[in-house]
Amino acid sequence: MIVGVDVGGTKIAVAGFRAEPGGARRRATAVHTLSTPAREGGEAIVRAVVDAIDVIRGGEQLAAVGVGTAGVVDQDGGISSATDAISGWAGFPLRAALVRALDAPVAVVNDVHAAAVAEATAGAGRGARGLLMVTVGTGIGGAVVLPDGLRAGVTGTAGSVGHTELALPPGLAGRRCGCGGVGHVEAVASGPALEQTYRERTGAARTLREVDAAARAGDAVAEEVIAEGAAFLGRALAGAQALLDVEVVAVGGGVAAIGERYLAEVARAYRAAAMPGPSTARVRSAELGVDATVTGAAVLAPA
């Protein structure tokens, strides 16, 4: 059995897979989820992952493990940087710890990188000549998959569309990103950023779901906030495509769950800003949802 693992700040998901021709993976077990012991540190997370793997493999031999995790992953499979969602995660040698605990080959990549591999293999980018994926939620993550595979980059940060700097209008130009930078698209287009913009313009504190509901009910400010965030993202994607020129741009995450009107605005802004060639790329919704990271991690497992 090949196992795919998704380590997030609130939950861990694990599933078993079988290898298929061409590197594809067929899921063999249901996804098993458990709460992440995020306040207990890296060793506690390793124990939780090992226990979950024991549950889903049921005594079957373990061939290899792939892990998609929150945080930036270095070339040795360690966590080079991370938010404080998981205590002590930055600097933790995750791959080495799992190899010792499991006595099996292990690959570790960033969770969005893993999800993009799944989308390129079996989702929005299947059969395409390259995929740029972006996930828009609490933050904005991204990944690049070329025809010959994932490009994580020298430092594991390739595809970080959320940290593209944009020329922003007054009132938004000074927004500080979670990484500390100013003017990044994440600071104006992520879920919390849209909530902040709505609050600043109306004085009402609403969740993104409530802002979306208000927009559907005809609230002009809510409509403007959502369209503006989508447009900022589209511009950032156009900038990335000037360098990548891949065939498919996939958009996922909680903000993208707003639906087709959000994706349509992202695509409109993208085509308006992109070069003539890359402007023809297909801008699509990601297809695999919560299963994407475990599936992509299993594809990347060194079996």
Side-chain angles (χ1 to χ4, degrees):
M1 180 180 287
I2 297 162
V3 172
V5 181
D6 176 2
V7 178
T10 58
K11 72 174 180 65
I12 295 170
V14 182
F17 293 79
R18 306 280 183 222
E20 292 189 327
R25 298 289 187 261
R26 173 178 56 82
R27 200 170 76 194
T29 68
V31 176
H32 176 70
T33 62
L34 63 157
S35 296
T36 304
R39 303 275 65 86
E40 299 174 37
E43 293 296 345
I45 289 174
V46 168
R47 289 193 296 272
V49 169
V50 171
D51 289 346
I53 289 173
D54 286 343
V55 168
I56 62 104
R57 69 172 176 159
E60 189 171 346
Q61 183 177 358
L62 185 62
V65 176
V67 179
T69 178
V72 177
V73 178
D74 64 28
Q75 293 183 337
D76 295 322
I79 311 301
S80 60
S81 64
T83 68
D84 59 2
I86 300 176
S87 296
W89 204 225
F92 185 73
L94 181 57
R95 179 184 170 276
L98 284 170
V99 168
R100 286 195 302 271
L102 295 167
D103 192 25
V106 177
V108 178
V109 299
N110 169 265
D111 51 3
V112 180
H113 288 184
V117 168
E119 291 288 347
T121 304
R126 60 187 175 278
R129 292 167 296 177
L131 169 78
L132 169 62
M133 180 170 174
V134 61
T135 57
V136 192
T138 303
I140 298 180
V144 180
V145 183
L146 299 180
D148 59 346
L150 174 69
R151 287 293 177 268
V154 174
T155 63
T157 58
S160 297
V161 175
H163 302 288
T164 301
E165 187 173 341
L166 296 177
L168 297 171
L172 295 177
R175 284 271 187 96
R176 192 165 294 279
C177 181
C179 73
V182 175
H184 291 186
V185 66
E186 183 176 297
V188 291
S190 66
L194 298 184
E195 294 169 356
Q196 180 181 346
T197 302
Y198 186 83
R199 184 172 63 252
E200 289 173 352
R201 293 180 185 176
T202 66
R206 291 186 171 180
T207 66
L208 179 64
R209 180 173 294 184
E210 291 169 340
V211 174
D212 179 32
R216 292 175 188 274
D219 181 328
V221 177
E223 291 175 347
E224 177 186 67
V225 166
I226 290 172
E228 186 178 82
F232 289 141
L233 180 66
R235 285 168 48 195
L237 291 169
Q241 274 282 75
L243 297 175
L244 297 172
D245 192 18
V246 294
E247 189 173 359
V248 171
V249 176
V251 184
V255 176
I258 288 172
E260 285 302 315
R261 63 198 175 90
Y262 176 83
L263 185 70
E265 185 60 33
V266 172
R268 186 205 64 76
Y270 168 79
R271 300 198 197 291
M275 294 175 63
S279 71
T280 62
R282 289 174 283 158
V283 180
R284 306 182 58 186
S285 294
E287 295 179 2
L288 301 180
V290 295
D291 286 351
T293 296
V294 290
T295 302
V299 170
L300 293 167

